[in-house]
Amino acid sequence: MKPPHLLTLGVAMAILSHPAARAAEPADEIPGLRQVAEDFIVAFNEKDAAAVAALFSEEGEISDLTGKEVIAGRDDIKAHYEDMLSGEDAPQVAIEVDTVRMIGPGLAVEDGTFHFTPPGDDAATKSRNYTAVLQKAPNGEWLIATTRNLGDATDSAGNLAGLADSLKGDWTCQSGDLRLDIAFGWDDSGNFLTGEMLATRADAKPLTTTIRIGWDAARKTISCWTFDDEGGFAKADWTPVEDGWLVRTEGTTAEGEFMSSNQQLTFENKDTFIWAGKDRLVDGKKLPDSKLRIVRQAPAPEVDADSDAE
């Protein structure tokens, strides 16, 4: 198993315009260290795996925090970046440097935070803290000897990025006489996903439920709160699985009854998911299991202004 992509990207060594980095390095070493950073960022953002690998020493390593997951040697590093950069969802990179210091002749250590942003106008950034060692080659060039992930530093929006990619947009479902219309998007702060669900039946008044999904930084999990316009509310924890999400929900109805359920969202593709519920209890009474097929709503047709004018 390779380390996750985030573990490998903090090797873009130094944006040495950072005051702390500049003060920590002897002036004659700054140009070489800066060049490694500039070359890495350019190569990565241009998806040039060979150029990225060339910035490592022949025995260079990329590892996770424990050191158990290691990619060693320039050839394997090149193959790793080829795999990472081959897809359309390859991110763009940026570095926030905290410190750069010399630890011996021809050896420098850098600590900082790496940020990567996937394609998309409102894509959320993910971040990792890292530490890296640079080694000065006999020809005077600086090379990456080793880099290691120090842990996640992603903000709230970044931790919701995967779920947002799946859920954003307008959805609908028809099951018997029940129709659901659901819409998800980022709130104005960019830290929460918000949604609204309208449930309509022929023999009942419409029920609107508002949804807010956020990152629980203390518990390291995605949490969700729902409030319906009759006065009921619930809280749920979302856990990612291979093809979707497990959702454990507990709440209270408008009449004061305790309710709970286990739900699973399984994505068949980017436009369809199955919403299955089981272990559904209301006031201690078990309800039948449920399964709904939710599909993405087609966009509204564009209006031809010229034809309207005619």
Side-chain angles (χ1 to χ4, degrees):
M1 175 182 175
K2 294 181 180 178
H5 293 171
L6 291 180
L7 308 184
T8 70
L9 302 181
V11 296
M13 288 297 97
I15 304 298
L16 289 173
S17 58
H18 189 289
R22 204 165 38 235
E25 280 301 326
D28 58 352
E29 302 294 2
I30 289 176
L33 291 167
R34 178 186 292 122
Q35 192 62 52
V36 176
E38 294 173 352
D39 291 348
F40 181 92
I41 292 170
V42 170
F44 189 96
N45 288 342
E46 292 184 352
K47 301 184 179 182
D48 188 341
V52 173
L55 298 172
F56 286 80
S57 65
E58 287 287 353
E59 299 79 21
E61 291 186 350
I62 299 168
S63 71
D64 66 355
L65 179 60
T66 67
K68 294 180 180 179
E69 302 289 349
V70 179
I71 299 173
R74 189 178 285 166
D75 290 343
D76 285 349
I77 290 171
K78 177 176 177 288
H80 175 70
Y81 280 105
E82 285 175 340
D83 179 61
M84 184 192 307
L85 297 174
S86 61
E88 295 181 356
D89 58 348
Q92 295 286 292
V93 304
I95 297 292
E96 185 178 350
V97 175
D98 293 328
T99 62
V100 179
R101 63 192 185 278
M102 299 296 295
I103 59 172
L107 289 175
V109 171
E110 177 178 315
D111 296 296
T113 305
F114 177 84
H115 308 285
F116 81 92
T117 304
D121 293 339
D122 60 351
T125 297
K126 286 187 174 289
S127 306
R128 287 276 174 173
N129 293 329
Y130 71 90
T131 188
V133 176
L134 286 82
Q135 180 180 24
K136 196 171 186 179
N139 64 2
E141 294 180 352
W142 285 94
L143 297 172
I144 303 163
T146 183
T147 183
R148 177 171 291 190
N149 165 56
L150 296 181
D152 185 76
T154 303
D155 63 12
S156 297
N159 279 299
L160 293 174
L163 181 58
D165 287 344
S166 297
L167 284 184
K168 280 188 308 180
D170 298 324
W171 303 84
T172 190
C173 169
Q174 186 75 47
S175 178
D177 68 342
L178 171 66
R179 178 184 172 92
L180 297 179
D181 292 289
I182 312 168
F184 283 102
W186 290 105
D187 76 344
D188 291 341
S189 74
N191 291 318
F192 294 91
L193 287 172
T194 58
E196 184 170 285
M197 179 172 67
L198 175 64
T200 55
R201 292 181 184 272
D203 58 351
K205 70 175 185 178
L207 179 67
T208 298
T209 301
T210 58
I211 305 165
R212 179 170 287 263
I213 303 174
W215 173 248
D216 186 332
R219 297 169 59 235
K220 304 298 183 186
T221 190
I222 292 175
S223 292
C224 173
W225 299 263
T226 62
F227 306 88
D228 67 53
D229 59 9
E230 290 184 348
F233 62 89
K235 182 179 183 296
D237 289 331
W238 292 56
T239 302
V241 293
E242 183 176 356
D243 54 357
W245 298 83
L246 294 177
V247 184
R248 171 62 182 171
T249 302
E250 293 184 348
T252 304
T253 69
E255 291 76 26
E257 301 166 318
F258 176 77
M259 59 181 180
S260 64
S261 67
N262 292 316
Q263 303 168 64
Q264 182 164 352
L265 277 66
T266 303
F267 283 84
E268 296 181 345
N269 51 57
K270 67 182 182 65
D271 295 323
T272 307
F273 67 88
I274 303 300
W275 182 3
K278 63 179 182 178
D279 304 323
R280 302 167 64 213
L281 297 174
V282 175
D283 199 25
K285 299 177 182 178
K286 191 175 189 307
L287 301 182
D289 292 348
S290 64
K291 182 178 289 188
L292 299 173
R293 189 169 187 267
I294 314 293
V295 298
R296 192 179 298 276
Q297 291 189 18
E302 296 184 2
V303 177
D304 189 332
D306 292 336
S307 63
D308 287 348
E310 294 174 359

